[in-house]
Amino acid sequence: MSSRTKIALAILAAISSPSMAQESTEIKKDNEPEIILVTGVRSSLEAASSLKRYSDSVQDSIVAEDIGKFPDQNVAESLQRIPGVSIDRVNGEGSKVTVRGFGPEFNVVTLNGRILATSEIGRSFDFQVLAAELISGADVIKSPTASTPEGSIGAYVNVKTARPLDNPGLHVLGSINAKYSDLSGEVSPEYSGLFSNTFADDTFGFNIAISHQESDNRYDSMGTTRWLLLNNEPGVIEGDIHNESGNVITPSTLRHAGRIEYALGQEHRERFGINTSLQWSPDSSFTNTFDYMYTDLSVETQTQGLQAGLQYPNWRNVVASENGTILSGTKFSGATLGGAGENVDFRIDGLFQVLESKSKTQAFGFNSVKEFDVLTLELDVSHSTSKSTPRTDLLVPNYISPDMNDSLDFDFRNTDTVNLDTTIDYASPSSVRAHWNQISHYELEDTITEVQTKGKYLLDLEFFESLVLDSVDFGIAYSDREKVRERYETFHEDNCGLVVPGADICGELRDMPDDIFSASPYSDFLSNESGNFPRDFIFADIDKYHAAISEMTKNPNWPNEQYNETASSSVTETTLSAYTQFNLSGIISDYDWRGNVGVRYVETDSTSSGYGKRRLSYTGELDNGQPLLVVEYTEPGRIETENSYDNWLPSLNFSINLSDNFLIRTAAAKVMSRPGIDDIGVQVSYNDMQAGSFSQTGGNPYLEPYQANQLDLSFEYYSDGGDAYAINFFNKDISRSIAQVTFIDPTPDVWNGSEYVDNSVSIDGYGNVSETINQKQNQAGGTISGVELAMQHNMDYLPGFLSGLGLQANYTWADTKNKNAPEIDLPGVKDPGDKLEGFAENSYNVVAYYDKNAFQARLAYNWRDDFLSSRSGVRSGGLPEHTAAYGQLDFSMSYEINEYFTVTGEAINITDERVYQYADVEERVINVQYTGPRYRIGVRAKF
């Protein structure tokens, strides 16, 4: 048997089953080779290792331990065990993947090789919509071939569902679990079931899998927003400024948190998923598959909390750091602003929110493969849709004291949160006054239709022994995608006569009914953090709150959200691609080698449409210490823009077996990623009520795609006993990228009827008005170089029960350089250097597992270094934002009671780790969040 035949059989064995096992089941069909199917932690790892070993490119995989049994509660959380892969979490659950530092928008995620419509505004795929019980495995392809779908500058991720003919025969299984959240104290149910059977001598198969999950979680968070530059004019700061040693200083710049926020979030999550497949294969040369998937995901979070606004003047007892950060001070009422005669009141705000997202995603797919002797043809047609309605209710009352002589002491020193002490009684319902309310939601719809045709022509054309043309792959693919985002929000006229989003009854200080509010049921808010800060703030009944606002505004239809044309957009994108790939092999000095070389060509056309308006005039005035604006626009008009580009994407993959167990692999390719769909829309959002935050943020429909050239060199060793060791060097040279650009316009434009002209406005007591412009633009890219180390080691050599032990570990180091890093020219802000956003220098995973007889267990720790998350962050007000290092410890186990029933258990985030983010320097904290440990126990039945 030739080496190429051995490889083909190994690949067949690996991909025909989601796992390999302890107890074998024999499957034979016609003249196909015998395949041994096994289950278990170790065999799942060995199946994934086999896929990596015999792949046509640099690839890593995860494989289900058994039918309907994925190793984690979420596919993303399993993918993070792969070298170079890290994940984003939403309230503690894995959501999106980052590969080699490239975030979710740079990685194409497919389901059975098809792009799936998403519930996100952009392209990034949220793995929360996929129930783990419906998945059989996933491949992460880091070096593409010509046949790999384009669009990934990071990696191509293909998630696979189980098909009935992959596992012939009758399979019935189900599981029931109880999930406990330590922080919320709630227990939630989960269940799943799968039925699969084949008929007519295994020529016809049908399966259906159903999963339902509920969870009640909680998160505790403290953060800040809008780190502002303090204008140290006379009357703004009372007394001297001191450093941390108590010495009087005169800093050139001072920055302070615009707001300090505390929030306790209560989340209810419910997900229902169904997946079914029909397969008909009258003989081994002809297979037809129909797939259908449906997911209904609902997440509702109510946050209860408060915020202290520091954007007003009246400062005393100011202590500043050497970085110009105001570390502590006192804010108070009753002073005047810079001699302007304006009396300034200080208040604390309540912060009550409803964050709701409901999405429904469904996907249809048909695939037909026919072999004609030396020619194989494949047709794949798919259609998927996703509809979602992310919603935000932002309810912000004022807390005041009757004498209006209020003060607040804050202190960022010696704590990772903020010490806060105030004369305002924020725990008393009688202190609450109605103030600001903004209700908004998006209606998002994503529709994708794809048609793909593929072919493989077997040649076995031997030019000489060292070079054989085995086959030629070719194909054409067409995709049509439409992404619609429509925004709805409240628009009201405030007491100042300004028509602005949500500013009803603003500043009127109307008393609110006390029965809306109640004492917090939790006494352990941010219990892991020391310090003196609010832990006993009141909770609001959201329904009663809405009813009270409706009564105050005499608006029975409250919140009567209206369509915001200029913040809405629609993008249609069509792609046409074609590829040719030559698959080669041969023998060099008795060493087998194989590889492929090819090119993919793709055309992309996009049309962005929506509404735009022109600014006619703007004026300003100082009101109660706040510089307010009045801006006049034209009526919104319909606009539409078009863009198109094409890309040639050559690729080369080569591997050589230096022994039966050791191989060297190298790869080179040109790759691209399209701009985010939300970035190429024509929508524009205006922030034009306060002069201090006068800005506009919009899309850029003329963006060109990211482009990069990449190289990989991998050394891989696979032992006969299932051990595997690999070291992979990689380099990406990004020739074109996209970056968020923020710049200041000191003379904001106005439309004079025929063209835009510069205009300037000055407000007494504030100064000149300028506008901040935020937009994505194409720029030069950067370079990423790194190394990935991976190992899988089974301890079979240990005596007795210890022989079931094993270790899986990987480590990734990456060095990045931004070729055109825009200099941060903001007073009192350090330049973050030339590092690319989203890239952690170090990350690693360590998994210790035990698999022996009826017992399996796994202890996994993953860690990611700190990194620059945004060069110009939204939350911080344009400052560089960083995410601190994070590590998490998880545990899972199972015990087979008998051949039918298995008891399972899982513990997530055992050590109760936190997320920590900061702006520019660590003392400027912008987010500290805890989600707490979570536990799950259950029973799995298999018949």
Side-chain angles (χ1 to χ4, degrees):
M1 184 180 295
S2 70
S3 62
R4 290 195 293 274
T5 303
K6 291 179 182 178
I7 292 172
L9 291 179
I11 295 173
L12 178 61
I15 65 176
S16 296
S17 165
S19 39
M20 306 175 174
Q22 297 167 341
E23 295 185 5
S24 64
T25 301
E26 296 184 0
I27 296 178
K28 294 183 179 180
K29 179 179 176 181
D30 296 336
N31 296 321
E32 293 182 5
E34 178 181 307
I35 301 172
I36 307 298
L37 304 182
V38 292
T39 61
V41 175
R42 172 174 170 175
S43 55
S44 172
L45 296 175
E46 291 180 358
S49 179
S50 181
L51 288 172
K52 175 182 178 69
R53 179 178 186 178
Y54 298 113
S55 66
D56 293 330
S57 59
V58 178
Q59 172 183 317
D60 288 282
S61 301
I62 52 176
V63 175
E65 296 174 13
D66 197 0
I67 302 173
K69 186 178 186 299
F70 215 61
D72 291 280
Q73 66 174 348
N74 178 287
V75 180
E77 294 181 2
S78 286
L79 287 170
Q80 72 176 328
R81 317 294 180 203
I82 287 176
V85 177
S86 55
I87 65 172
D88 298 330
R89 291 178 172 86
V90 175
N91 298 342
E93 181 170 347
S95 171
K96 300 172 185 177
V97 298
T98 293
V99 183
R100 292 177 170 176
F102 288 95
E105 67 273 19
F106 299 106
N107 304 304
V108 170
V109 178
T110 61
L111 183 69
N112 296 320
R114 304 155 183 154
I115 297 291
L116 191 65
T118 69
S119 58
E120 301 290 301
I121 288 180
R123 296 184 192 275
S124 57
F125 183 82
D126 188 351
F127 283 89
Q128 294 179 98
V129 304
L130 293 179
E133 295 84 355
L134 310 183
I135 305 304
S136 65
D139 299 322
V140 179
I141 298 175
K142 301 174 181 177
S143 70
T145 64
S147 59
T148 305
E150 77 286 340
S152 301
I153 201 172
Y156 169 71
V157 182
N158 183 37
V159 180
K160 296 172 286 189
T161 59
R163 263 71 179 275
L165 295 184
D166 292 343
N167 292 280
L170 175 64
H171 303 277
V172 181
L173 58 92
S175 66
I176 299 176
N177 300 283
K179 185 176 181 180
Y180 173 74
S181 172
D182 183 69
L183 197 55
S184 71
E186 299 290 337
V187 177
S188 307
E190 299 177 358
Y191 65 81
S192 65
L194 183 145
F195 173 87
S196 179
N197 201 5
T198 55
F199 312 91
D201 295 327
D202 297 335
T203 61
F204 178 78
F206 166 76
N207 71 7
I208 184 170
I210 297 175
S211 173
H212 181 267
Q213 180 189 76
E214 292 185 42
S215 60
D216 291 283
N217 306 310
R218 169 185 152 192
Y219 68 83
D220 293 358
S221 69
M222 173 270 161
T224 65
T225 61
R226 293 190 287 180
W227 279 84
L228 304 173
L229 186 66
L230 183 64
N231 184 8
N232 189 11
E233 294 183 357
V236 175
I237 297 179
E238 179 182 295
D240 293 326
I241 302 171
H242 295 81
N243 62 16
E244 293 179 81
S245 300
N247 300 318
V248 176
I249 59 174
T250 306
S252 58
T253 58
L254 285 174
R255 282 197 175 270
H256 65 92
R259 289 172 183 164
I260 303 171
E261 300 177 351
Y262 299 88
L264 187 151
Q266 298 167 290
E267 177 197 75
H268 177 73
R269 179 190 302 264
E270 189 167 352
R271 177 176 57 206
F272 173 78
I274 184 171
N275 187 81
T276 184
S277 293
L278 292 171
Q279 283 191 296
W280 177 57
S281 181
D283 57 62
S284 59
S285 68
F286 190 33
T287 303
N288 300 275
T289 305
F290 173 78
D291 298 304
Y292 173 73
M293 188 209 74
Y294 172 80
T295 298
D296 188 338
L297 176 64
S298 174
V299 181
E300 180 176 328
T301 303
Q302 289 193 9
T303 68
Q304 312 279 355
L306 57 84
Q307 67 180 8
L310 306 183
Q311 70 268 32
Y312 305 110
N314 302 348
W315 299 74
R316 67 164 68 110
N317 304 326
V318 171
V319 175
S321 74
E322 61 181 10
N323 298 313
T325 304
I326 296 182
L327 297 176
S328 65
T330 300
K331 298 301 300 290
F332 60 97
S333 299
T336 60
L337 174 65
E342 292 285 347
N343 201 40
V344 180
D345 296 328
F346 177 76
R347 308 161 190 165
I348 287 183
D349 296 333
L351 187 61
F352 307 109
Q353 296 183 85
V354 177
L355 308 173
E356 182 182 80
S357 178
K358 296 182 178 179
S359 64
K360 295 182 179 181
T361 303
Q362 59 179 343
F364 303 85
F366 174 75
N367 180 274
S368 182
V369 180
K370 176 62 179 176
E371 296 180 10
F372 303 92
D373 191 20
V374 296
L375 176 65
T376 300
L377 295 178
E378 178 179 351
L379 172 67
D380 193 276
V381 180
S382 62
H383 179 77
S384 66
T385 61
S386 181
K387 296 181 179 181
S388 60
T389 54
R391 179 183 186 86
T392 301
D393 290 11
L394 179 58
L395 311 172
V396 184
N398 283 153
Y399 296 156
I400 65 170
S401 297
D403 56 8
M404 299 291 288
N405 187 24
D406 306 318
S407 67
L408 176 142
D409 295 317
F410 67 92
D411 195 337
F412 284 80
R413 297 170 296 176
N414 304 318
T415 177
D416 287 335
T417 55
V418 183
N419 291 319
L420 210 64
D421 190 19
T422 178
T423 58
I424 299 175
D425 188 358
Y426 52 76
S428 171
S430 62
S431 301
V432 184
R433 300 293 185 270
H435 177 51
W436 175 280
N437 306 286
Q438 184 173 10
I439 317 299
S440 64
H441 78 273
Y442 282 103
E443 293 184 4
L444 307 177
E445 186 169 354
D446 192 10
T447 305
I448 302 175
T449 301
E450 288 184 303
V451 179
Q452 304 178 62
T453 60
K454 303 176 183 179
K456 178 184 285 290
Y457 189 79
L458 301 178
L459 290 171
D460 199 21
L461 182 60
E462 185 172 350
F463 296 96
F464 36 86
E465 186 180 27
S466 60
L467 179 60
V468 178
L469 177 57
D470 295 316
S471 61
V472 177
D473 292 336
F474 53 91
I476 299 176
Y478 173 80
S479 173
D480 186 303
R481 183 173 195 171
E482 183 181 23
K483 195 93 170 183
V484 178
R485 55 178 284 178
E486 296 182 336
R487 180 172 173 84
Y488 297 81
E489 58 188 335
T490 51
F491 282 84
H492 300 281
E493 184 172 307
D494 77 351
N495 60 306
C496 304
L498 304 176
V499 179
V500 292
D504 62 292
I505 59 177
C506 177
E508 295 185 1
L509 299 180
R510 299 193 195 182
D511 191 21
M512 300 196 74
D514 290 352
D515 66 349
I516 295 176
F517 306 97
S518 60
S520 168
Y522 301 103
S523 59
D524 59 346
F525 176 71
L526 284 176
S527 59
N528 288 1
E529 296 289 340
S530 61
N532 176 32
F533 53 82
R535 300 181 190 265
D536 55 354
F537 41 80
I538 57 178
F539 277 32
D541 184 310
I542 301 299
D543 292 336
K544 289 183 178 180
Y545 200 114
H546 275 287
I549 298 300
S550 177
E551 175 64 26
M552 289 180 185
T553 58
K554 305 303 180 184
N555 184 352
N557 297 319
W558 167 265
N560 67 314
E561 298 157 85
Q562 302 174 34
Y563 181 52
N564 186 338
E565 300 99 327
T566 59
S568 305
S569 66
S570 173
V571 175
T572 300
E573 183 178 80
T574 61
T575 65
L576 180 64
S577 61
Y579 70 88
T580 301
Q581 176 178 306
F582 299 95
N583 303 304
L584 307 165
S585 65
I587 300 175
I588 301 177
S589 299
D590 296 327
Y591 299 126
D592 291 344
W593 70 270
R594 57 192 173 91
N596 58 74
V597 60
V599 64
R600 188 178 189 92
Y601 173 76
V602 57
E603 294 180 353
T604 304
D605 298 293
S606 63
T607 301
S608 304
S609 58
Y611 290 84
K613 60 184 180 182
R614 295 184 171 116
R615 184 167 53 228
L616 296 174
S617 66
Y618 64 102
T619 58
E621 63 179 2
L622 205 65
D623 179 49
N624 197 27
Q626 298 187 67
L628 301 181
L629 295 175
V630 177
V631 186
E632 183 181 358
Y633 296 96
T634 63
E635 289 296 319
R638 186 75 177 176
I639 55 176
E640 183 174 284
T641 62
E642 296 182 351
N643 191 26
S644 64
Y645 49 85
D646 58 76
N647 300 90
W648 289 93
L649 306 173
S651 61
L652 168 69
N653 290 269
F654 172 86
S655 65
I656 184 168
N657 297 302
L658 299 184
S659 71
D660 289 341
N661 304 103
F662 179 63
L663 67 87
I664 299 177
R665 191 192 309 269
T666 186
K670 185 175 183 179
V671 293
M672 57 85 80
S673 279
R674 297 182 179 90
I677 291 185
D678 51 325
D679 294 333
I680 59 175
V682 295
Q683 76 284 345
V684 177
S685 295
Y686 299 91
N687 190 352
D688 52 13
M689 179 183 177
Q690 296 186 11
S693 56
F694 188 29
S695 63
Q696 60 174 286
T697 302
N700 181 355
Y702 301 107
L703 290 173
E704 297 288 312
Y706 297 83
Q707 286 188 168
N709 297 312
Q710 66 176 51
L711 296 170
D712 280 85
L713 176 62
S714 179
F715 300 88
E716 304 169 15
Y717 178 83
Y718 302 88
S719 76
D720 296 333
D723 296 347
Y725 309 89
I727 178 170
N728 182 48
F729 301 92
F730 63 88
N731 176 270
K732 291 177 185 282
D733 186 353
I734 305 172
S735 58
R736 183 170 60 211
S737 67
I738 299 172
Q740 177 75 33
V741 176
T742 301
F743 59 92
I744 305 298
D745 185 356
T747 56
D749 297 337
V750 295
W751 182 255
N752 67 3
S754 59
E755 61 179 347
Y756 282 107
V757 296
D758 291 343
N759 190 61
S760 61
V761 167
S762 181
I763 300 176
D764 291 339
Y766 173 79
N768 292 330
V769 176
S770 59
E771 183 180 26
T772 301
I773 310 296
N774 303 288
Q775 190 182 62
K776 294 287 182 72
Q777 294 182 7
N778 282 117
Q779 291 187 345
T783 57
I784 303 98
S785 299
V787 60
E788 297 170 341
L789 305 175
M791 64 163 289
Q792 180 179 314
H793 184 71
N794 301 306
M795 302 180 186
D796 298 334
Y797 48 82
L798 295 178
F801 73 93
L802 294 176
S803 62
L805 289 171
L807 182 67
Q808 181 191 34
N810 61 70
Y811 165 77
T812 301
W813 173 84
D815 181 56
T816 70
K817 181 179 178 62
N818 192 328
K819 293 180 180 178
N820 190 31
E823 183 178 350
I824 302 298
D825 188 19
L826 296 174
V829 176
K830 292 184 176 181
D831 192 282
D834 59 359
K835 296 296 184 182
L836 288 169
E837 300 172 47
F839 289 84
E841 185 172 355
N842 301 281
S843 61
Y844 65 85
N845 293 275
V846 179
V847 181
Y849 60 88
Y850 184 84
D851 190 347
K852 188 77 173 178
N853 299 323
F855 182 71
Q856 301 176 38
R858 186 186 60 175
L859 186 66
Y861 183 76
N862 71 284
W863 184 86
R864 185 185 189 185
D865 209 347
D866 63 317
F867 61 94
L868 176 67
S869 48
S870 176
R871 189 169 290 273
S872 178
V874 175
R875 183 177 176 91
S876 62
L879 275 64
E881 294 182 2
H882 303 260
T883 299
Y886 180 87
Q888 181 169 305
L889 183 65
D890 303 328
F891 173 77
S892 63
M893 57 78 61
S894 66
Y895 179 76
E896 295 181 7
I897 300 174
N898 53 42
E899 61 178 315
Y900 300 113
F901 295 98
T902 301
V903 178
T904 62
E906 188 176 52
I908 304 297
N909 191 19
I910 298 172
T911 54
D912 193 12
E913 300 298 325
R914 68 176 189 179
V915 173
Y916 187 88
Q917 297 169 303
Y918 58 94
D920 188 25
V921 290
E922 287 194 53
E923 63 201 30
R924 298 174 184 172
V925 55
I926 54 175
N927 185 36
V928 177
Q929 185 185 80
Y930 287 86
T931 55
R934 299 175 190 182
Y935 307 94
R936 184 169 66 171
I937 59 173
V939 177
R940 185 172 186 268
K942 180 180 179 181
F943 303 96

